[in-house]
Amino acid sequence: MNILMNIGFVIAAPIVGGLLTGVDRVITARMQGRQGPPVLQPFYDVMKLIQKESIEVNSMHRFFVYISMVFAIFATTILITGGDILLAVFALTLGSIFFVLGGYASNSPYSIIGSERELLQIMSYEPMVLLACVGLYYADRSFFVKEIINNSIPAIVYLPGLFIGLVFILTFKLRKSPFDLSMSHHGHQEIVKGITTEYSGRDLAVIEVTHWFEVIFTLTLVYVFFATNAPISRVIAIVICGLVYLLEIVIDNAFARLKWQQAFTSAWIITGTLGIVNLMILSYFR
Amino acid sequence: MKFVKKSPWILHYDGSSCNGCDIEVLACLTPLYDVERFGIINTGNPKHADILLITGSVNEQNIPVVKQLYEQMAEPKVVAAIGICATSGGIFAECYNVVGGVDKVLPVDVYVPGCAARPEAIIDGVVKALAILEEKSKDARKKTGK
Ligand code: SF4
């Protein structure tokens, strides 16, 4: 029963992720006074890309995005089946690194710029993600999501600072402005889409689906902060995930893209103040 | 299913135009016309695009550029010539460096006349291009046996 439910979650993850990106596009369009595409547009895009020709720049170049997707699926699976949060975070980072390698592999100046910026982004958000994991351990004495979400007090009570910091760096992971330096999901932007420049057809579809998994991964991190053993808290946690996603869409539309220096320093300052102070206070009381 | 009809991505290239048609192409993306309703995205990247929109005539300087853009696009792909300059050279046809319409170098599938072509006409042209794109993807699938 439990295994079946877990398999169901893993199959539902990209579908929900795709729907969320569709909703994102509609809301973004409405904010700009446009009607926007249908909600299922991301699925149409991916299906079209699958039917198109994939241009091969060299043999490695394609391999990296597939590996990257495997790690994204692996990380999301660990997280939503209640596994070790640290392992999930590292698996996702590994996936991102393979994605960066894919950008370097093609030798196109555009995708190399994308790769370099993606590395800077990883450097910006990774400390905060790790601190969040450490904080969750401090609060709930476990790295296992299963156990963290089965306590009677939600982790947010102990970790408000870490949560705000996490929401801040989610903007990197969701590839939203002001921090979508390496590849933007809007057409004709961020140096013509950075790492994805040389990818076409099926490979581009794989990148898109990987992003859906990443969306679910990041929202699951938000969920973990609010869920407790009371069933009602699970509902509240899902509602909060939706609100956080909405907030990210608003931020995406309201802010201009920052330079990498500003993105990097602001992320580290937030990590340094909110994250560390929160952990220090917590270690004092526990 | 023919998903290409639901998500045509566009690459816009400006040959030697007066920029009138370019502005009209970009006007299609504004809230008034909002082509994203049909899933149309202006990609700016030949490897992601399905439809190549060319405004302005072809001259000696940009022949290699236009050809390279076309070659970098993944199959199936279509070319639409926007504005009278792109279809025949228009008022620039007599210039010493102008070769003529886009069809002098690329196989053009759709011609959208007008000086400048109106956004409605451009959207109409793209819709026509979609029908051709669908034909082409059918042929492509037949060839590969899928
Ligand atoms: S058709 Fe007219 S508006 Fe368009 S590029 Fe030519 S001269 Fe300019």
Side-chain angles (χ1 to χ4, degrees):
Chain A
M1 182 58 207
N2 228 338
I3 290 176
L4 276 184
M5 232 168 82
N6 286 341
I7 292 175
F9 277 142
V10 174
I11 293 171
I15 298 172
V16 176
L19 278 177
L20 277 173
T21 31
V23 170
D24 172 0
R25 279 177 70 173
V26 173
I27 295 177
T28 301
R30 294 289 155 89
M31 280 179 187
Q32 297 168 353
R34 297 185 287 118
Q35 197 199 340
V39 176
L40 293 181
Q41 189 61 44
F43 296 100
Y44 298 150
D45 290 348
V46 163
M47 293 310 286
K48 175 204 74 174
L49 288 170
I50 288 174
Q51 289 173 354
K52 265 185 87 91
E53 173 198 24
S54 306
I55 297 169
E56 196 156 337
V57 181
N58 59 46
S59 49
M60 285 312 276
H61 164 249
R62 299 185 63 184
F63 161 80
F64 286 126
V65 286
Y66 287 92
I67 290 284
S68 162
M69 179 167 80
V70 168
F71 276 108
I73 296 174
F74 179 60
T76 317
T77 311
I78 295 173
L79 209 57
I80 59 185
T81 53
D84 192 329
I85 197 165
L86 262 188
L87 180 59
V89 164
F90 282 119
L92 193 71
T93 309
L94 199 54
S96 314
I97 295 290
F98 274 111
F99 187 41
V100 170
L101 286 176
Y104 277 123
S106 67
N107 261 334
S108 146
Y110 291 101
S111 53
I112 288 178
I113 286 182
S115 290
E116 274 163 2
R117 289 179 162 199
E118 179 75 14
L119 281 179
L120 285 164
Q121 286 191 14
I122 294 175
M123 205 155 83
S124 315
Y125 66 69
E126 210 57 37
M128 188 71 225
V129 178
L130 291 180
L131 278 188
C133 297
V134 172
L136 285 170
Y137 180 80
Y138 255 123
D140 295 302
R141 295 283 158 217
S142 169
F143 278 123
F144 280 85
V145 174
K146 225 178 6 245
E147 288 160 24
I148 297 172
I149 62 173
N150 268 326
N151 277 341
S152 48
I153 304 170
I156 182 78
V157 175
Y158 302 110
L159 310 166
L162 279 173
F163 178 71
I164 297 171
L166 190 73
V167 170
F168 185 85
I169 58 99
L170 281 194
T171 321
F172 284 102
K173 209 62 216 154
L174 293 171
R175 303 196 182 284
K176 299 260 181 230
S177 198
F179 302 138
D180 54 347
L181 301 163
S182 69
M183 90 184 230
S184 165
H185 53 214
H186 302 296
H188 223 312
Q189 283 188 28
E190 244 5 51
I191 324 216
V192 199
K193 293 211 145 180
I195 302 183
T196 60
T197 303
E198 294 294 319
Y199 290 102
S200 55
R202 195 162 301 167
D203 310 334
L204 200 57
V206 166
I207 292 174
E208 196 56 31
V209 175
T210 310
H211 183 64
W212 295 349
F213 275 104
E214 283 176 348
V215 168
I216 294 300
F217 184 93
T218 46
L219 290 182
T220 314
L221 285 183
V222 173
Y223 175 86
V224 167
F225 273 84
F226 290 91
T228 60
N229 51 10
I232 182 74
S233 76
R234 306 274 163 103
V235 180
I236 295 172
I238 289 175
V239 171
I240 289 174
C241 287
L243 289 179
V244 166
Y245 197 66
L246 194 66
L247 177 72
E248 295 288 348
I249 297 172
V250 174
I251 291 173
D252 186 33
N253 281 290
F255 289 91
R257 192 172 291 114
L258 289 179
K259 288 181 187 161
W260 71 263
Q261 291 94 333
Q262 291 159 330
F264 181 70
T265 38
S266 63
W268 274 40
I269 287 170
I270 291 280
T271 310
T273 48
L274 288 177
I276 307 236
V277 168
N278 194 163
L279 277 185
M280 268 160 52
I281 294 172
L282 195 62
S283 63
Y284 202 69
F285 285 111
R286 294 218 82 172
Chain B
M1 274 291 274
K2 317 299 171 308
F3 288 100
V4 73
K5 272 193 113 164
K6 297 204 153 163
S7 113
W9 291 358
I10 281 173
L11 173 67
H12 169 211
Y13 177 74
D14 173 13
S16 35
S17 82
C18 77
N19 285 122
C21 288
D22 298 312
I23 302 293
E24 299 300 317
V25 167
L26 295 179
C28 297
L29 303 169
T30 58
L32 187 59
Y33 298 101
D34 186 27
V35 287
E36 209 196 347
R37 277 178 297 157
F38 312 115
I40 298 176
I41 291 179
N42 186 9
T43 58
N45 180 346
K47 299 216 167 164
H48 296 182
D50 307 296
I51 303 177
L52 175 57
L53 292 188
I54 301 189
T55 54
S57 54
V58 174
N59 61 32
E60 299 291 349
Q61 300 273 325
N62 65 24
I63 288 175
V65 180
V66 175
K67 276 193 178 155
Q68 201 180 23
L69 284 177
Y70 180 74
E71 274 154 19
Q72 284 188 353
M73 285 169 69
E75 294 283 356
K77 56 190 169 189
V78 291
V79 180
I82 307 291
I84 209 69
C85 285
T87 57
S88 68
I91 54 163
F92 300 119
E94 305 289 297
C95 290
Y96 64 93
N97 60 339
V98 168
V99 181
V102 180
D103 50 7
K104 289 275 184 337
V105 267
L106 294 185
V108 175
D109 300 284
V110 179
Y111 296 89
V112 179
C115 175
R118 292 193 60 80
E120 288 92 339
I122 296 174
I123 295 173
D124 218 38
V126 170
V127 172
K128 284 231 167 68
L130 287 183
I132 296 169
L133 200 58
E134 202 186 341
E135 278 301 305
K136 282 195 179 178
S137 53
K138 242 188 250 159
D139 291 349
R141 242 170 291 149
K142 245 183 242 157
K143 248 185 244 161
T144 53
K146 272 189 220 163

PDB file of all heavy atoms in Angstrom, chain B residues 16-22 55-56 82-86 90-92 114-117, ligand 1:
ATOM      1  N   SER B  16      17.408  43.357 -44.603  1.00  0.00           N
ATOM      2  CA  SER B  16      17.554  44.812 -44.783  1.00  0.00           C
ATOM      3  C   SER B  16      16.167  45.431 -44.906  1.00  0.00           C
ATOM      4  O   SER B  16      15.681  45.678 -45.999  1.00  0.00           O
ATOM      5  CB  SER B  16      18.400  45.126 -46.012  1.00  0.00           C
ATOM      6  OG  SER B  16      18.162  44.188 -47.018  1.00  0.00           O
ATOM      7  N   SER B  17      15.539  45.616 -43.760  1.00  0.00           N
ATOM      8  CA  SER B  17      14.199  46.198 -43.757  1.00  0.00           C
ATOM      9  C   SER B  17      14.289  47.623 -43.260  1.00  0.00           C
ATOM     10  O   SER B  17      15.359  48.088 -42.869  1.00  0.00           O
ATOM     11  CB  SER B  17      13.268  45.394 -42.859  1.00  0.00           C
ATOM     12  OG  SER B  17      13.454  45.778 -41.518  1.00  0.00           O
ATOM     13  N   CYS B  18      13.148  48.324 -43.298  1.00  0.00           N
ATOM     14  CA  CYS B  18      13.119  49.684 -42.765  1.00  0.00           C
ATOM     15  C   CYS B  18      12.745  49.663 -41.297  1.00  0.00           C
ATOM     16  O   CYS B  18      12.532  50.690 -40.695  1.00  0.00           O
ATOM     17  CB  CYS B  18      12.125  50.527 -43.536  1.00  0.00           C
ATOM     18  SG  CYS B  18      10.444  50.187 -43.054  1.00  0.00           S
ATOM     19  N   ASN B  19      12.616  48.455 -40.716  1.00  0.00           N
ATOM     20  CA  ASN B  19      12.205  48.223 -39.325  1.00  0.00           C
ATOM     21  C   ASN B  19      10.705  48.369 -39.120  1.00  0.00           C
ATOM     22  O   ASN B  19      10.221  48.112 -38.015  1.00  0.00           O
ATOM     23  CB  ASN B  19      12.923  49.126 -38.326  1.00  0.00           C
ATOM     24  CG  ASN B  19      14.339  48.683 -38.101  1.00  0.00           C
ATOM     25  OD1 ASN B  19      15.277  49.422 -38.305  1.00  0.00           O
ATOM     26  ND2 ASN B  19      14.496  47.437 -37.714  1.00  0.00           N
ATOM     27  N   GLY B  20       9.967  48.743 -40.155  1.00  0.00           N
ATOM     28  CA  GLY B  20       8.519  48.839 -40.014  1.00  0.00           C
ATOM     29  C   GLY B  20       7.920  47.489 -39.704  1.00  0.00           C
ATOM     30  O   GLY B  20       7.152  47.333 -38.746  1.00  0.00           O
ATOM     31  N   CYS B  21       8.302  46.468 -40.501  1.00  0.00           N
ATOM     32  CA  CYS B  21       7.728  45.140 -40.288  1.00  0.00           C
ATOM     33  C   CYS B  21       8.202  44.525 -38.976  1.00  0.00           C
ATOM     34  O   CYS B  21       7.472  43.769 -38.344  1.00  0.00           O
ATOM     35  CB  CYS B  21       8.087  44.227 -41.453  1.00  0.00           C
ATOM     36  SG  CYS B  21       7.181  44.657 -42.942  1.00  0.00           S
ATOM     37  N   ASP B  22       9.441  44.854 -38.555  1.00  0.00           N
ATOM     38  CA  ASP B  22       9.940  44.312 -37.279  1.00  0.00           C
ATOM     39  C   ASP B  22       9.058  44.750 -36.137  1.00  0.00           C
ATOM     40  O   ASP B  22       8.706  43.968 -35.257  1.00  0.00           O
ATOM     41  CB  ASP B  22      11.346  44.839 -37.000  1.00  0.00           C
ATOM     42  CG  ASP B  22      12.294  44.406 -38.064  1.00  0.00           C
ATOM     43  OD1 ASP B  22      12.269  43.216 -38.381  1.00  0.00           O
ATOM     44  OD2 ASP B  22      13.030  45.256 -38.590  1.00  0.00           O
ATOM     45  N   THR B  55      11.842  39.460 -41.983  1.00  0.00           N
ATOM     46  CA  THR B  55      11.333  40.741 -42.467  1.00  0.00           C
ATOM     47  C   THR B  55      12.457  41.399 -43.245  1.00  0.00           C
ATOM     48  O   THR B  55      13.627  41.239 -42.915  1.00  0.00           O
ATOM     49  CB  THR B  55      10.926  41.649 -41.303  1.00  0.00           C
ATOM     50  OG1 THR B  55      12.029  41.765 -40.416  1.00  0.00           O
ATOM     51  CG2 THR B  55       9.747  41.093 -40.549  1.00  0.00           C
ATOM     52  N   GLY B  56      12.107  42.126 -44.282  1.00  0.00           N
ATOM     53  CA  GLY B  56      13.115  42.826 -45.059  1.00  0.00           C
ATOM     54  C   GLY B  56      13.731  41.943 -46.122  1.00  0.00           C
ATOM     55  O   GLY B  56      13.663  40.715 -46.046  1.00  0.00           O
ATOM     56  N   ILE B  82       7.788  38.071 -44.240  1.00  0.00           N
ATOM     57  CA  ILE B  82       6.847  39.067 -43.722  1.00  0.00           C
ATOM     58  C   ILE B  82       7.117  40.421 -44.382  1.00  0.00           C
ATOM     59  O   ILE B  82       8.233  40.937 -44.311  1.00  0.00           O
ATOM     60  CB  ILE B  82       6.995  39.228 -42.187  1.00  0.00           C
ATOM     61  CG1 ILE B  82       6.891  37.875 -41.485  1.00  0.00           C
ATOM     62  CG2 ILE B  82       5.976  40.209 -41.650  1.00  0.00           C
ATOM     63  CD1 ILE B  82       5.550  37.254 -41.508  1.00  0.00           C
ATOM     64  N   GLY B  83       6.107  40.986 -44.982  1.00  0.00           N
ATOM     65  CA  GLY B  83       6.240  42.302 -45.611  1.00  0.00           C
ATOM     66  C   GLY B  83       6.649  42.170 -47.064  1.00  0.00           C
ATOM     67  O   GLY B  83       7.202  41.154 -47.485  1.00  0.00           O
ATOM     68  N   ILE B  84       6.388  43.215 -47.829  1.00  0.00           N
ATOM     69  CA  ILE B  84       6.632  43.135 -49.260  1.00  0.00           C
ATOM     70  C   ILE B  84       8.125  43.102 -49.570  1.00  0.00           C
ATOM     71  O   ILE B  84       8.555  42.511 -50.565  1.00  0.00           O
ATOM     72  CB  ILE B  84       5.891  44.287 -49.995  1.00  0.00           C
ATOM     73  CG1 ILE B  84       5.517  43.863 -51.411  1.00  0.00           C
ATOM     74  CG2 ILE B  84       6.682  45.555 -50.023  1.00  0.00           C
ATOM     75  CD1 ILE B  84       4.445  42.811 -51.446  1.00  0.00           C
ATOM     76  N   CYS B  85       8.941  43.676 -48.692  1.00  0.00           N
ATOM     77  CA  CYS B  85      10.388  43.602 -48.882  1.00  0.00           C
ATOM     78  C   CYS B  85      10.856  42.154 -48.877  1.00  0.00           C
ATOM     79  O   CYS B  85      11.681  41.763 -49.690  1.00  0.00           O
ATOM     80  CB  CYS B  85      11.105  44.327 -47.755  1.00  0.00           C
ATOM     81  SG  CYS B  85      11.023  46.087 -47.879  1.00  0.00           S
ATOM     82  N   ALA B  86      10.346  41.378 -47.927  1.00  0.00           N
ATOM     83  CA  ALA B  86      10.793  39.997 -47.802  1.00  0.00           C
ATOM     84  C   ALA B  86      10.239  39.123 -48.919  1.00  0.00           C
ATOM     85  O   ALA B  86      10.835  38.108 -49.260  1.00  0.00           O
ATOM     86  CB  ALA B  86      10.371  39.446 -46.444  1.00  0.00           C
ATOM     87  N   GLY B  90      10.614  44.637 -52.521  1.00  0.00           N
ATOM     88  CA  GLY B  90       9.845  45.849 -52.245  1.00  0.00           C
ATOM     89  C   GLY B  90      10.507  47.106 -52.765  1.00  0.00           C
ATOM     90  O   GLY B  90      11.096  47.102 -53.852  1.00  0.00           O
ATOM     91  N   ILE B  91      10.451  48.170 -51.984  1.00  0.00           N
ATOM     92  CA  ILE B  91      11.015  49.439 -52.451  1.00  0.00           C
ATOM     93  C   ILE B  91      12.536  49.395 -52.495  1.00  0.00           C
ATOM     94  O   ILE B  91      13.165  50.257 -53.083  1.00  0.00           O
ATOM     95  CB  ILE B  91      10.571  50.634 -51.578  1.00  0.00           C
ATOM     96  CG1 ILE B  91      10.886  50.375 -50.113  1.00  0.00           C
ATOM     97  CG2 ILE B  91       9.105  50.946 -51.780  1.00  0.00           C
ATOM     98  CD1 ILE B  91      10.857  51.645 -49.300  1.00  0.00           C
ATOM     99  N   PHE B  92      13.135  48.381 -51.875  1.00  0.00           N
ATOM    100  CA  PHE B  92      14.597  48.285 -51.910  1.00  0.00           C
ATOM    101  C   PHE B  92      15.088  47.453 -53.089  1.00  0.00           C
ATOM    102  O   PHE B  92      16.286  47.257 -53.259  1.00  0.00           O
ATOM    103  CB  PHE B  92      15.134  47.667 -50.612  1.00  0.00           C
ATOM    104  CG  PHE B  92      14.785  48.458 -49.390  1.00  0.00           C
ATOM    105  CD1 PHE B  92      14.013  47.912 -48.377  1.00  0.00           C
ATOM    106  CD2 PHE B  92      15.244  49.754 -49.249  1.00  0.00           C
ATOM    107  CE1 PHE B  92      13.699  48.647 -47.253  1.00  0.00           C
ATOM    108  CE2 PHE B  92      14.927  50.493 -48.127  1.00  0.00           C
ATOM    109  CZ  PHE B  92      14.156  49.955 -47.126  1.00  0.00           C
ATOM    110  N   GLY B 114       2.224  43.318 -47.602  1.00  0.00           N
ATOM    111  CA  GLY B 114       1.871  44.492 -46.808  1.00  0.00           C
ATOM    112  C   GLY B 114       3.097  45.322 -46.537  1.00  0.00           C
ATOM    113  O   GLY B 114       4.197  44.793 -46.423  1.00  0.00           O
ATOM    114  N   CYS B 115       2.905  46.644 -46.479  1.00  0.00           N
ATOM    115  CA  CYS B 115       4.028  47.529 -46.178  1.00  0.00           C
ATOM    116  C   CYS B 115       3.503  48.602 -45.246  1.00  0.00           C
ATOM    117  O   CYS B 115       2.904  49.536 -45.687  1.00  0.00           O
ATOM    118  CB  CYS B 115       4.591  48.139 -47.446  1.00  0.00           C
ATOM    119  SG  CYS B 115       5.887  49.346 -47.154  1.00  0.00           S
ATOM    120  N   ALA B 116       3.635  48.439 -43.974  1.00  0.00           N
ATOM    121  CA  ALA B 116       4.112  47.249 -43.278  1.00  0.00           C
ATOM    122  C   ALA B 116       2.995  46.208 -43.148  1.00  0.00           C
ATOM    123  O   ALA B 116       1.822  46.569 -43.154  1.00  0.00           O
ATOM    124  CB  ALA B 116       4.562  47.661 -41.872  1.00  0.00           C
ATOM    125  N   ALA B 117       3.374  44.940 -43.046  1.00  0.00           N
ATOM    126  CA  ALA B 117       2.385  43.892 -42.824  1.00  0.00           C
ATOM    127  C   ALA B 117       1.727  44.137 -41.472  1.00  0.00           C
ATOM    128  O   ALA B 117       2.424  44.354 -40.480  1.00  0.00           O
ATOM    129  CB  ALA B 117       3.068  42.539 -42.837  1.00  0.00           C
TER     130      ALA B 117
HETATM  131  S1  SF4 C   1       7.623  45.985 -46.303  1.00  0.00           S
HETATM  132 FE1  SF4 C   1       7.550  48.173 -45.900  1.00  0.00          FE
HETATM  133  S2  SF4 C   1       7.443  48.327 -43.663  1.00  0.00           S
HETATM  134 FE2  SF4 C   1       8.130  46.278 -44.154  1.00  0.00          FE
HETATM  135  S3  SF4 C   1      10.335  46.357 -44.093  1.00  0.00           S
HETATM  136 FE3  SF4 C   1       9.730  46.728 -46.223  1.00  0.00          FE
HETATM  137  S4  SF4 C   1       9.604  48.929 -46.432  1.00  0.00           S
HETATM  138 FE4  SF4 C   1       9.608  48.464 -44.238  1.00  0.00          FE
END
